[in-house]
């Protein structure tokens, strides 16, 4: 009888270990990324999980003869000798002198777009149509490797701060944020909604675990086609109890962002370099109250009509202002108007017109909304009534308040938005692996 040991024998040598094997024969597995035929030799680039390794074929090195099935995108196993290669910038690189190529699989067709060059050169819509293929391009896949680093940093930091990771349901009897951008779903004859955020559930878990976080998709039926809205995006959320003030939440986010940026520099250096990612240096993040920020915008910008919220150009202006005044890529704007924040937001006891809430702007674009929540039952019921909501419809949610909740608050941070501005993309779709927008549900 065979027995499964749980051990996977390592049959390939990672590129990072090549330096310890100079002059020795090693084996690698990967896809043929690019073949460049020269007069009496060939460069064959092998794409492994995170690298592209240069291999050189020449009849000089071995008796192996290149066959017709050595084509781009074929999956191969190559054995060869590790040698130091020459680089223009003088840095240490290694390549393999090919001894043998085992073909593991051969593609049925050539890719519909060229993916073996530095960049995939085509329209965004074509790129997205062929995402399973275009993502093979090293630069394109690096975006999502880096995005992994952001999520990992968020998770690791919060775990180090005593947070418990949760998963809340995405099919619900109500949306969370309200408004019109909620997707309806037929649920065995009943109408239900896709979650716009994990808000109500993460709050419910504060009296249970005190500090919780979730990294998961949320759904927003955005009826417009903009460069910063998706209909499904990854929300990085947390909620924490026993806060002294809503600044605790901003401090926690600042700590998380610092940790994330350091992690990217340390463990995602190849991607940072490939993408020329401009990783911000965070020491402290400046804060400004909404009304003061609005006054600045009114003073400096023309045609401001909406005094209750910001237009994108105002956020952009505030981003530049924070850079000039504080050399900061980030700016917290606090105390948004009560009218403009959701029903669960705590009003400022000193000025009930405004809330104990904030947005975080990164390079002039909102990436986070957060704040303190109402924890008192009567206060929450009153606020719901004032907003014309029926508390009876929120019986499950109100269990949180009815049966006791500590002062608490939290935030939601859009993963694609953060990625987009870290990498200087003009469109959020570049930062979504398989984006869903008003015109796209495939691939
Ligand atoms: P915006 O005003 O930019 O439309 P919002 O205030 O409606 O966003 P929130 O409910 O505050 O959004 O969501 C928290 C965060 O989630 C936002 O700061 C943003 O980073 C991200 N986000 C919100 N909506 C979208 C969307 N449609 N696509 C991608 N990210 C989004
Ligand atoms: Mg917001």
């Amino acid at each position: 009888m065979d027995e499964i040991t749980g051990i996977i024998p390592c049959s390939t040598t990672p590129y990072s270990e090549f330096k310890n094997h100079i002059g020795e024969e090693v084996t690698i597995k990967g896809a043929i990324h690019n073949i460049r035929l020269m007069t009496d030799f060939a460069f064959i680039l092998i794409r492994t999980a995170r690298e592209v390794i240069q291999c050189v074929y020449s009849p000089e090195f071995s008796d192996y003869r290149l066959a017709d099935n050595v084509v781009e995108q074929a999956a191969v196993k190559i054995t060869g000798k590790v040698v130091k290669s020459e680089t223009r910038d003088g840095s240490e690189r290694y390549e393999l002198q090919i001894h043998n190529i085992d073909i593991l699989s051969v593609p049925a067709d050539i890719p519909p777009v060229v993916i073996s060059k530095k960049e995939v050169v085509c329209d965004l819509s074509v790129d997205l149509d062929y995402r399973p293929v275009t993502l093979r391009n090293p630069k394109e896949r690096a975006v999502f490797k880096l995005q992994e680093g952001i999520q990992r940093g968020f998770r690791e930091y919060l775990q180090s701060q005593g947070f418990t990771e949760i998963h809340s349901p995405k099919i619900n009897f109500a949306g969370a944020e309200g408004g019109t951008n909620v997707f309806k779903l037929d649920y065995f004859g009943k109408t239900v909604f896709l979650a716009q955020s994990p808000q109500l559930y993460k709050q419910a878990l504060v009296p249970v675990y005190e500090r919780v976080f979730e990294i998961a998709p949320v759904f927003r039926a955005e009826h417009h086609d903009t460069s910063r809205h998706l209909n499904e995006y990854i929300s990085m959320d947390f909620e924490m109890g026993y806060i002294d003030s809503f600044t605790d939440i901003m401090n926690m986010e600042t700590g998380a962002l610092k940790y994330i940026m350091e992690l990217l520099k340390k463990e995602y250096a190849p991607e940072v370099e490939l993408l020329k990612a401009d990783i911000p240096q965070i020491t402290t993040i400046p804060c400004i109250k909404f009304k003061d920020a609005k006054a600045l915008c009114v003073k400096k910008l023309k045609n401001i009509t909406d005094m209750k919220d910001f237009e994108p150009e105002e956020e952009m202006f505030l981003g530049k202002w924070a850079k000039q005044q504080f050399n900061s890529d980030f700016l917290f704007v606090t105390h948004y108007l009560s009218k403009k924040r959701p029903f669960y937001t705590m009003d400022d006891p000193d000025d009930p017109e405004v809330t104990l809430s904030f947005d975080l702007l990164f390079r002039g674009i909102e990436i986070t909304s957060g704040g303190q929540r109402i924890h008192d039952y009567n206060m929450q019921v009153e606020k719901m009534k004032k907003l014309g909501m029926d508390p009876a419809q929120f019986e499950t949610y109100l269990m949180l308040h009815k049966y006791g909740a500590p002062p608490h608050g939290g935030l939601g941070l859009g993963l694609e938005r953060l990625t987009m501005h870290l990498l200087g993309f003009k469109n959020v779709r570049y930062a979504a692996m398989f984006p869903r927008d008003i015109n796209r549900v495939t691939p």
Side-chain angles (χ1 to χ4, degrees):
M1 199 181 75
D2 287 342
E3 284 186 337
I4 303 298
T5 60
I7 297 163
I8 303 165
C10 183
S11 59
T12 75
T13 307
Y15 179 75
S16 56
E17 284 179 24
F18 274 23
K19 58 179 179 298
N20 305 323
H21 295 281
I22 298 170
E24 293 170 19
E25 183 172 89
V26 301
T27 300
I28 60 167
K29 285 183 194 162
I32 297 181
H33 185 60
N34 185 228
I35 304 175
R36 265 184 296 152
L37 292 171
M38 314 309 248
T39 336
D40 48 0
F41 69 102
F43 285 117
I44 301 182
L45 300 185
I46 300 300
R47 193 180 64 241
T48 62
R50 205 172 169 184
E51 287 154 335
V52 175
I53 299 172
Q54 178 157 295
C55 301
V56 194
Y57 167 76
S58 163
E60 254 183 56
F61 310 140
S62 75
D63 299 333
Y64 175 80
R65 292 291 167 264
L66 279 184
D68 287 350
N69 56 5
V70 178
V71 292
E72 286 180 7
Q73 304 313 316
V76 295
K77 178 173 152 188
I78 293 188
T79 47
K81 187 167 83 172
V82 178
V83 294
K84 261 195 189 174
S85 68
E86 286 180 13
T87 55
R88 266 182 242 155
D89 61 0
S91 60
E92 288 211 343
R93 293 269 165 77
Y94 308 93
E95 62 187 23
L96 272 195
Q97 290 184 345
I98 296 172
H99 291 166
N100 191 50
I101 302 179
D102 266 345
I103 302 287
L104 307 176
S105 93
V106 186
D109 207 344
I110 55 168
V113 277
V114 178
I115 53 171
S116 57
K117 298 270 188 284
K118 268 197 176 154
E119 317 247 349
V120 177
V121 184
C122 63
D123 282 352
L124 175 60
S125 65
V126 176
D127 188 303
L128 296 179
D129 284 345
Y130 295 113
R131 261 289 152 100
V133 184
T134 51
L135 283 172
R136 297 178 186 196
N137 173 264
K139 210 167 162 187
E140 299 233 348
R141 71 177 179 180
V143 173
F144 302 98
K145 191 68 187 175
L146 199 82
Q147 198 169 65
E148 173 209 63
I150 297 174
Q151 298 172 66
R152 185 177 144 197
F154 188 77
R155 173 177 284 117
E156 283 180 8
Y157 183 75
L158 293 180
Q159 282 172 340
S160 80
Q161 301 297 306
F163 282 75
T164 297
E165 184 162 11
I166 58 159
H167 284 291
S168 60
K170 302 301 160 216
I171 301 174
N172 293 318
F173 84 101
E177 307 294 317
T180 51
N181 66 353
V182 51
F183 280 111
K184 284 184 188 158
L185 199 72
D186 174 56
Y187 195 71
F188 308 114
K190 265 194 230 140
T191 299
V192 295
F193 303 94
L194 288 179
Q196 292 164 299
S197 93
Q199 185 62 34
L200 310 188
Y201 291 93
K202 60 180 182 162
Q203 276 189 265
L205 290 166
V206 166
V208 182
Y209 298 113
E210 193 177 315
R211 293 178 167 194
V212 294
F213 76 95
E214 175 165 357
I215 304 174
V218 293
F219 305 89
R220 305 264 172 119
E222 311 280 3
H223 293 283
H224 39 251
D225 186 2
T226 80
S227 59
R228 58 196 200 137
H229 291 99
L230 298 161
N231 289 334
E232 174 178 348
Y233 71 90
I234 305 292
S235 186
M236 304 202 294
D237 274 86
F238 73 68
E239 201 70 21
M240 56 194 274
Y242 299 96
I243 55 172
D244 292 324
S245 140
F246 79 110
T247 52
D248 290 359
I249 303 152
M250 296 192 282
N251 271 315
M252 190 62 77
E253 178 166 35
T254 305
L257 287 168
K258 279 187 192 179
Y259 183 89
I260 290 169
M261 299 312 159
E262 286 311 309
L263 185 75
L264 294 183
K265 282 195 268 186
K266 209 167 73 206
E267 305 233 357
Y268 293 80
E271 287 76 22
V272 167
E273 193 193 313
L274 189 59
L275 296 164
K276 310 242 174 312
D278 183 4
I279 306 292
Q281 186 68 38
I282 308 173
T283 43
T284 58
I285 298 182
C287 302
I288 183 170
K289 285 189 173 166
F290 173 81
K291 76 169 173 15
D292 298 334
K294 195 74 192 179
L296 269 180
C297 294
V298 169
K299 209 165 135 196
K300 295 281 177 188
L301 301 172
K302 291 191 184 101
N303 303 329
I304 292 178
T305 47
D306 184 359
M307 295 306 285
K308 299 193 182 85
D309 215 338
F310 292 127
E311 296 289 343
E313 52 272 36
E314 295 177 83
E315 291 187 347
M316 202 46 86
F317 162 74
L318 291 169
K320 287 193 185 128
W321 176 79
K323 189 73 187 170
Q324 266 170 10
Q325 293 287 315
F326 307 101
N327 193 26
S328 174
D329 285 320
F330 293 91
L331 177 69
F332 279 117
V333 180
T334 64
H335 299 88
Y336 279 80
L337 295 183
S338 202
K339 286 191 191 103
K340 283 288 169 180
R341 295 303 250 205
F343 66 90
Y344 47 76
T345 313
M346 177 85 99
D347 291 334
D348 185 347
D350 297 332
D351 177 4
E353 296 276 288
V354 301
T355 52
L356 300 178
S357 71
F358 65 89
D359 273 9
L360 178 61
L361 307 187
F362 175 40
R363 297 181 178 150
I365 304 267
E366 174 194 333
I367 58 162
T368 295
S369 283
Q372 183 162 352
R373 327 298 189 188
I374 296 171
H375 56 271
D376 180 78
Y377 179 71
N378 292 322
M379 190 188 280
Q380 184 62 83
V381 169
E382 277 315 305
K383 187 150 182 187
M384 283 176 159
K385 285 184 183 159
K386 209 169 114 191
L387 295 172
M389 297 164 70
D390 177 10
Q393 293 284 312
F394 289 86
E395 209 182 322
T396 352
Y397 173 57
L398 287 168
M399 283 186 201
L400 161 75
H401 312 77
K402 199 174 200 171
Y403 303 114
H408 66 281
L411 56 78
L413 168 57
L415 177 62
E416 293 85 351
R417 285 262 181 104
L418 175 55
T419 313
M420 170 186 181
H421 294 292
L422 207 52
L423 298 177
F425 293 149
K426 294 270 178 285
N427 195 312
V428 69
R429 288 160 184 77
Y430 286 110
M433 205 178 247
F434 294 104
R436 297 295 182 247
D437 64 31
I438 196 159
N439 299 310
R440 179 178 291 279
V441 281
T442 57

